[in-house]
Amino acid sequence: MKSMMKKLYFIAGFILATTGSALAQVSLDPMITPSTFDANTEITVEYDATGTALADLDAAYLWIWIPNTQIDAKYNINPGSSNPSLTDNVKFNKDISNDKTTFSLTFKPQDLFADPICDATQIGMLLKGDDWSDGQTTDFITSITPLSSCFVA
């Protein structure tokens, strides 16, 4: 009887572990407005999380990077709630209306980096919960128009 219970606990734990990891990352791409932008263009990134596990998040944060570089984003901090004076800069606004749950954030990409990103041709981003274990979207890489000159405020 004990070995049967151990097997049941093992199977239940395995199912919970694999289900949890499947829910931890949601394949969801954002809508970016305007669709063509450079480092100094104000953009709005919106994720429609309706019907996903991410819709239940109380707070969500932007994690952003420049692919294939060592440029660090100023506000990529985990967990997000550990330093609100910084992470409030990348905290999404959650809206629940008309049976939709969306997360949106408006920013200029350059404002999120200490180093100039004027030469960047791509930018990566994802939406994440307060901590990685709360869930996240898959990586999203999009094009960004390089600038002819750099200026970092």
Side-chain angles (χ1 to χ4, degrees):
M1 187 67 149
K2 279 187 178 182
S3 86
M4 177 69 113
M5 289 302 289
K6 285 183 182 181
K7 285 181 186 177
L8 286 174
Y9 284 127
F10 174 78
I11 291 170
F14 177 77
I15 290 171
L16 286 174
T18 56
T19 303
S21 65
L23 293 176
Q25 195 172 60
V26 176
S27 182
L28 191 62
D29 292 342
M31 181 175 68
I32 301 174
T33 309
S35 58
T36 303
F37 61 94
D38 62 42
N40 292 317
T41 302
E42 186 173 82
I43 63 172
T44 298
V45 174
E46 181 176 276
Y47 285 90
D48 183 350
T50 307
T52 72
L54 299 176
D56 294 332
L57 291 175
D58 292 326
Y61 300 86
L62 177 70
W63 195 270
I64 192 164
W65 68 95
I66 305 299
N68 305 312
T69 71
Q70 297 299 314
I71 298 173
D72 290 326
K74 296 188 283 189
Y75 309 116
N76 284 356
I77 298 169
N78 189 65
S81 62
S82 67
N83 192 342
S85 65
L86 294 178
T87 58
D88 279 354
N89 294 291
V90 291
K91 187 174 183 181
F92 281 95
N93 296 307
K94 183 176 183 179
D95 181 56
I96 303 171
S97 58
N98 300 322
D99 296 323
K100 285 179 69 172
T101 302
T102 58
F103 292 93
S104 64
L105 180 66
T106 301
F107 61 94
K108 291 181 183 177
Q110 181 59 69
D111 291 348
L112 303 185
F113 296 89
D115 295 324
I117 62 167
C118 55
D119 294 335
T121 59
Q122 292 183 314
I123 195 165
M125 62 184 76
L126 60 80
L127 174 147
K128 65 176 280 304
D130 182 46
D131 198 349
W132 291 110
S133 61
D134 295 332
Q136 70 184 69
T137 62
T138 51
D139 293 355
F140 179 76
I141 309 288
T142 191
S143 296
I144 183 171
T145 304
L147 293 168
S148 57
S149 63
C150 287
F151 175 73
V152 178

